[in-house]
Amino acid sequence: MLAVFLLLLASVASVPSPSRPTPRYCRRCCDHLDPPLSPAPPPAANHTPEIRTIINMTILKGEKGERGDRGTPGKAGVDGPPGLRGVMGPKGSKGDTGAPGDPCKIQQSSFSVGRRKALHSADYYQALIFDTVFVNLGEHFNMFKGKFYCFVPGVYFFNVNIHTWNFKETYLHLMHNERQQVILYAQPSERSIMQSQSVMLSLELNDEVWVRLYKRQRDNAIYSDDVDIYITFNGHLVAPKV
C-alpha cells in the first residue's frame, strides 16, 4: 500500500504543469507611439516589517535631587555708559537754626604800637623798641622786647611806618624769628620822607615778629619827636590755622 502511494506521488510530481498563456495588453490605435507599460513587480517574498523602539522617558526619570552649592561669582562686566541726568528734585525745607557759638572760642590777635623818640643805631643790629600802645589784644606784643609773640597760629598781616632823617640813611629789617623777611630802606637825602613796608606771614605757635635797625658804614637813623608819632608797627590775624 505504501509502495503504491509513493508511486502515485512520483508520477504526479513528474507531470509538467500546463503552460500559462502569455499575458496580452490592450492597445489603442495610438499606443504604438508610447512605450509599453512595464508589468507591476511581484510582491517581495518574506518581507520583514520595520520595528521601532519607543522609550517612555517619564518611566526612566528619577526623583529630584538636592540643590547644589552656589557657584563662584563671575568677573565684573565692563561698565556701561553713564545714564542721562535725572530731573532735579524739589527744594528741601529749611533746616533748623543751629545753636549760637561760644564767643570765647573766637580767635583774635592784633596790635598797634608807636615810638615818640628818634633813634640812631649804635650797634650793628639793634631791635626797635616802642613806647606807645594803641592796641594790644591779649598782650601778645611785648613792649619791653619790642616783639610780637604768636599765640594763635595762622596768617598775619604786618606793617611798619617810619620817618627818615635828613642826610642820614634809613635801613630796617622786618624779622620773623631770626630771619629777615622784608627791608625798609631810604638813602640819604636833604629832605626827610615817610616810608612804609607791609607783608603777610604764616606763623606757628610762639613765633616772633619784630623790627631791627641795620647799621652799615653810614649813620642809620629814624626821626620822631615828643609831640607827634612818626614810627608805628602794626599787625593782626587774618586767618587762624585750620
Side-chain angles (χ1 to χ4, degrees):
M1 187 69 181
L2 180 60
V4 174
F5 177 76
L6 293 175
L7 181 62
L8 291 176
L9 182 62
S11 62
V12 171
S14 61
V15 176
S17 60
S19 60
R20 294 182 180 180
T22 303
R24 296 179 176 272
Y25 300 97
C26 180
R27 289 179 173 273
R28 293 173 297 178
C29 59
C30 59
D31 283 347
H32 67 280
L33 300 178
D34 297 327
L37 296 175
S38 299
N46 300 327
H47 176 70
T48 303
E50 181 180 1
I51 300 175
R52 296 183 181 181
T53 304
I54 300 176
I55 301 175
N56 190 349
M57 299 302 295
T58 58
I59 299 176
L60 301 179
K61 183 177 180 181
E63 297 180 357
K64 184 177 181 181
E66 297 180 357
R67 184 174 181 178
D69 297 334
R70 187 173 182 178
T72 305
K75 297 181 180 180
V78 181
D79 294 338
L84 299 177
R85 185 174 182 179
V87 181
M88 183 179 295
K91 184 177 180 181
S93 58
K94 186 176 180 180
D96 298 333
T97 304
D102 188 353
C104 297
K105 294 184 179 180
I106 299 177
Q107 296 176 315
Q108 295 180 347
S109 181
S110 60
F111 72 92
S112 180
V113 294
R115 180 183 175 94
R116 292 181 180 275
K117 297 180 180 180
L119 179 64
H120 284 77
S121 59
D123 299 327
Y124 191 66
Y125 292 119
Q126 182 177 350
L128 182 58
I129 306 300
F130 299 87
D131 53 28
T132 304
V133 177
F134 299 107
V135 175
N136 192 8
L137 294 181
E139 301 295 326
H140 295 173
F141 189 89
N142 189 314
M143 294 295 292
F144 298 99
K145 295 183 178 181
K147 293 183 178 182
F148 169 77
Y149 290 89
C150 176
F151 288 90
V152 182
V155 177
Y156 285 79
F157 173 82
F158 296 98
N159 170 259
V160 180
N161 298 286
I162 58 96
H163 192 286
T164 64
W165 202 312
N166 297 27
F167 303 105
K168 296 182 183 294
E169 187 178 50
T170 301
Y171 204 136
L172 291 87
H173 293 147
L174 193 146
M175 305 293 296
H176 179 194
N177 296 328
E178 296 301 322
R179 182 180 179 181
Q180 65 185 42
Q181 297 297 320
V182 292
I183 296 174
L184 192 156
Y185 177 77
Q187 61 185 3
S189 174
E190 61 181 12
R191 296 187 305 171
S192 60
I193 58 174
M194 293 292 298
Q195 290 283 85
S196 179
Q197 180 65 281
S198 301
V199 67
M200 294 181 70
L201 299 175
S202 178
L203 304 184
E204 299 295 336
L205 185 64
N206 296 326
D207 278 358
E208 303 174 1
V209 180
W210 50 292
V211 180
R212 76 178 182 187
L213 279 77
Y214 172 47
K215 181 181 179 181
R216 302 193 297 178
Q217 292 80 9
R218 301 175 181 177
D219 290 335
N220 188 10
I222 51 178
Y223 176 81
S224 189
D225 56 38
D226 297 335
V227 179
D228 299 315
I229 297 179
Y230 295 91
I231 305 167
T232 60
F233 182 31
N234 314 286
H236 66 271
L237 176 65
V238 176
K241 185 177 180 180
V242 179

